[in-house]
Amino acid sequence: MPGAEAMPFLMKPLLDAMANAPFPGRCLGCGQLFRRQPRAKDDGSKKPGADRVLADYFCPACSGQWTPVTSPLCSRCGMVFKSRTGTDHICGRCLEYPGAFTRARAAGVYDGTLRIAIQALKFRGHTRLANPLGTLLYETYRRYWPVGDIDLIAPVPLHRRRFRRRGFNQAFLLVNGWPLPGEAVLVRDLLTRSRSTPPQTGLDRRQRRINIKNAFGVSRSGESAGKRVLLVDDVLTTGATAEACATILLKDGAKQVDVLTLARA
C-alpha cells in the first residue's frame, strides 16, 4: 500500500478525470438530464450559433431550436422579412419613420432556445448564461462592425429601482467580458435611466413609445459628442427603447448610433 506522501500524486489522475468528465446537466428547455459533451476545439470560423455557445445548458435536441437572423432583412432596423427570397432592403415602417438610430442587428430571432436563455438570465437570475450569450453577441458584433467602426459601446441602463430588485443589468453583463479593440471603449454609465417605467412586455408600438418617453438621460454632458456609439441590449422588439436612447445621444452630440441585441422579436 502506498505511503501517505504518495497519495496526492496518485489521486491527481483521478481528480483530473473527474474534472474533465462530461457530467450530466438539466436542459433549460425540456428539463431532461443530458450528458454534456467535451468542448470541441475552436475551428476559427467564428460563426455565431446559440446551439454551440449554449451546449452546456441545453440538450442536443433543444439546442438546435433557435433561428439565426439572416438575409433578407431590413437594412436599417434588422427586422427579418417573412419572405426568404430577395435581398436586404428598407422596410415600409422605416421608410415612413426613419428614426434616430442608423441600423440595428441581432444574433437571432426571439424564439426557441435563445428566448429561453434570455429569460433565464433576466428573470431567473441565471447569470452564468451571460458568458455564452455574451460570446454570441460579440461574434455578431464582429460580423457587422469591423474594427474601427465604433468608438463607444453603451449598455442600455436599468432604473436603479429595477437594478436593486434584479441585482444586475443584463445588458452590461453581456458586454463586460468582450475583448475590445483599443479604439472601442465600453462605457457602463454613458446613459442613465432617470424615470422608472412599467415593463414593455405586452405593449404595442405606440404604448411602448409613450411608456419610455423622457426615461433616459446622459450621465456626463458631451461625452458622446462626435462619437459613433453602439447601444447594446438583450431584445429589440418595436425599437422604442433604442429610439429613445439614440435620440438622447444624438442630442448630446453623438455622430451616429447603432444598435446590437441578442434577439430580434
Side-chain angles (χ1 to χ4, degrees):
M1 182 175 180
E5 69 279 357
M7 290 301 290
F9 176 77
L10 295 175
M11 288 291 290
K12 188 175 186 303
L14 176 60
L15 294 174
D16 287 345
M18 291 175 64
N20 294 322
F23 288 110
R26 188 172 296 278
C27 176
L28 289 176
C30 64
Q32 298 297 310
L33 291 174
F34 70 100
R35 188 163 295 280
R36 295 187 177 97
Q37 300 300 312
R39 291 183 179 274
K41 290 184 177 180
D42 186 0
D43 61 3
S45 66
K46 296 297 182 183
K47 181 181 179 182
D51 51 341
R52 173 172 52 81
V53 300
L54 294 172
D56 284 346
Y57 303 95
F58 291 89
C59 69
C62 289
S63 65
Q65 295 178 14
W66 87 291
T67 307
V69 167
T70 57
S71 296
L73 49 82
C74 174
S75 52
R76 178 188 172 263
C77 74
M79 180 187 69
V80 178
F81 295 123
K82 291 181 179 180
S83 172
R84 304 316 298 148
T85 59
T87 59
D88 294 354
H89 58 277
I90 300 290
C91 69
R93 184 174 292 163
C94 287
L95 283 172
E96 190 173 0
Y97 303 105
F101 63 80
T102 301
R103 65 168 172 165
R105 293 294 182 267
V109 176
Y110 190 51
D111 65 6
T113 298
L114 189 56
R115 180 174 183 171
I116 292 170
I118 292 172
Q119 291 182 346
L121 169 62
K122 285 178 66 173
F123 305 124
R124 292 161 56 192
H126 291 242
T127 54
R128 67 187 187 276
L129 287 165
N131 183 50
L133 289 174
T135 297
L136 177 64
L137 195 64
Y138 179 76
E139 292 171 355
T140 308
Y141 167 56
R142 286 273 64 98
R143 176 182 175 187
Y144 292 109
W145 286 273
V147 174
D149 273 15
I150 295 297
D151 301 308
L152 304 178
I153 296 176
V156 172
L158 294 179
H159 187 267
R160 60 183 180 275
R161 190 178 304 160
R162 185 167 298 172
F163 181 86
R164 285 197 298 266
R165 186 165 59 247
R166 186 174 294 173
F168 60 88
N169 178 2
Q170 70 280 355
F172 173 71
L173 292 185
L174 291 171
V175 298
N176 190 33
W178 282 11
L180 291 172
E183 64 271 20
V185 178
L186 171 61
V187 185
R188 180 176 187 171
D189 62 344
L190 185 65
L191 288 163
T192 61
R193 196 154 189 158
S194 54
R195 185 170 64 84
S196 181
T197 59
Q200 298 276 69
T201 305
L203 302 181
D204 61 25
R205 174 178 290 269
R206 177 178 172 276
Q207 292 169 329
R208 285 171 180 254
R209 190 168 59 250
I210 295 172
N211 185 46
I212 211 74
K213 187 177 180 181
N214 299 324
F216 297 97
V218 293
S219 297
R220 295 164 294 275
S221 180
E223 186 170 5
S224 61
K227 304 294 186 181
R228 297 161 296 179
V229 181
L230 181 68
L231 279 173
V232 176
D233 208 355
D234 52 353
V235 182
L236 181 71
T237 305
T238 65
T241 297
E243 285 290 342
C245 291
T247 298
I248 291 296
L249 289 169
L250 291 175
K251 286 181 178 179
D252 190 53
K255 181 179 180 180
Q256 176 178 309
V257 180
D258 289 345
V259 181
L260 173 64
T261 59
L262 274 172
R264 185 67 166 85

